[in-house]
Amino acid sequence: SFFFFRCSRGMSDPVLYLDDRIRFFVILPIVAITFFSGLTRHYVSLLIRSSKKVSLADVQQSQVLARSRVMRAHGNFLPRSAFNMRRHYLCAEETGLFHKLKPQTAAPNPATDPTMMADMMKGNFVNMVPMLVIGGIISYAFAGFVTIKVPFPLTLPFKSMLQRGIELTTLSASWVSSMSFYFVCVFGLRSVFSLILGANNAADQTHMMQQQQQQMTMGADPAGALNNERDALQISTHAWALDGVEETLLQGEVPHNKDD
């Protein structure tokens, strides 16, 4: 028997009613397959990932750069004297922290480092192969099913994105097919994986792709990064964001509780 049927209240207002069994035989299996495949991908990535040793100098350099960027972004909430004191501590000619740090050698290019290339190939294998295999299984086992409907109308260009595997020109673009619902689950379960596995988990494919892009751009000169950040902090201007806040607070109306 079919899992959905169509009922019409008139030629101008067709209504699509979904069978309740779609919830148990289509939607829940797709969500479960996506969830457990993400967990498996995370733990397999932990097993095949090579250990990376980070030196103390690299950690110090990254922390100093992060502190300087935070100062430039939010230094207006500090008094001018406090901002200048911190800037002098970082940028002084001989005693500044930027001058005391000894820049490390440039990070190796991923295209020439066999270890980094092997890690990238492992990451691509763990991410792409399960997605292709599971996508093929879902397209074969759940082909032709309509799963959910978005709560707002959509235009016809969205049909090719939301209704993969269903070739019905009369079907509204708001309905989502089983294959498209799988891709919705892949990106929609990111917060669930972050809650269970932590923020930096291998189940989040978007996060893994961002890490690979960062590895491709890791060949920057550390000495140049320190010098550029020092110059940016030296020329940064300070305008205290809380200047005159007392007068503004006294001139305005102080909000009271509704119970008073």
Side-chain angles (χ1 to χ4, degrees):
S1 60
F2 294 98
F3 280 85
F4 64 90
F5 61 92
R6 187 169 184 172
C7 180
S8 298
R9 291 180 296 180
M11 297 299 294
S12 60
D13 189 15
V15 179
L16 185 65
Y17 293 92
L18 298 182
D19 198 312
D20 294 337
R21 289 175 293 179
I22 289 182
R23 183 188 308 115
F24 302 103
F25 293 99
V26 180
I27 296 179
L28 291 181
I30 292 176
V31 174
I33 290 172
T34 308
F35 177 74
F36 288 109
S37 64
L39 293 180
T40 305
R41 182 169 57 250
H42 171 72
Y43 290 110
V44 170
S45 299
L46 294 180
L47 291 176
I48 66 176
R49 184 174 58 184
S50 59
S51 60
K52 298 180 181 179
K53 297 182 179 179
V54 181
S55 62
L56 180 60
D58 293 336
V59 176
Q60 290 177 345
Q61 177 178 328
S62 62
Q63 293 297 319
V64 170
L65 290 174
R67 181 177 180 180
S68 178
R69 295 190 184 101
V70 171
M71 276 192 59
R72 290 193 293 110
H74 307 287
N76 293 334
F77 294 97
L78 294 173
R80 185 180 299 274
S81 59
F83 180 83
N84 292 333
M85 180 178 61
R86 288 167 172 80
R87 180 164 57 181
H88 182 269
Y89 173 73
L90 293 175
C91 302
E93 288 296 333
E94 296 182 357
T95 60
L97 196 56
F98 278 119
H99 294 276
K100 291 181 179 179
L101 288 177
K102 295 181 179 179
Q104 303 299 309
T105 58
N109 190 355
T112 59
D113 189 1
T115 304
M116 298 183 68
M117 287 294 294
D119 291 339
M120 294 179 61
M121 291 180 62
K122 292 177 183 178
N124 292 330
F125 177 81
V126 173
N127 289 330
M128 299 304 298
V129 173
M131 178 175 285
L132 294 176
V133 173
I134 296 174
I137 294 174
I138 290 178
S139 64
Y140 173 78
F142 305 104
F145 286 99
V146 177
T147 55
I148 60 174
K149 182 181 181 181
V150 296
F152 47 85
L154 296 175
T155 57
L156 291 179
F158 287 92
K159 287 179 66 68
S160 60
M161 181 176 61
L162 297 179
Q163 296 181 4
R164 292 183 177 272
I166 297 179
E167 301 295 337
L168 292 177
T169 58
T170 58
L171 185 62
S172 174
S174 300
W175 291 97
V176 181
S177 64
S178 56
M179 190 63 189
S180 299
F181 181 70
Y182 164 68
F183 291 103
V184 172
C185 292
V186 169
F187 296 100
L189 292 176
R190 294 173 54 188
S191 59
V192 178
F193 290 135
S194 300
L195 181 63
I196 297 175
L197 303 175
N200 299 324
N201 60 82
D204 188 357
Q205 297 182 353
T206 306
H207 180 70
M208 294 294 294
M209 290 186 290
Q210 291 176 356
Q211 285 185 343
Q212 292 179 2
Q213 292 177 358
Q214 291 176 0
Q215 290 179 358
M216 293 297 295
T217 59
M218 283 179 59
D221 186 12
L226 288 175
N227 294 331
N228 294 335
E229 185 60 32
R230 181 192 61 193
D231 296 339
L233 184 59
Q234 285 178 342
I235 65 175
S236 61
T237 59
H238 178 269
W240 194 21
L242 302 180
D243 188 13
V245 67
E246 296 88 354
E247 290 78 4
T248 304
L249 180 61
L250 293 176
Q251 291 176 1
E253 295 182 358
V254 179
H256 297 280
N257 296 330
K258 295 181 179 181
D259 299 335
D260 297 343

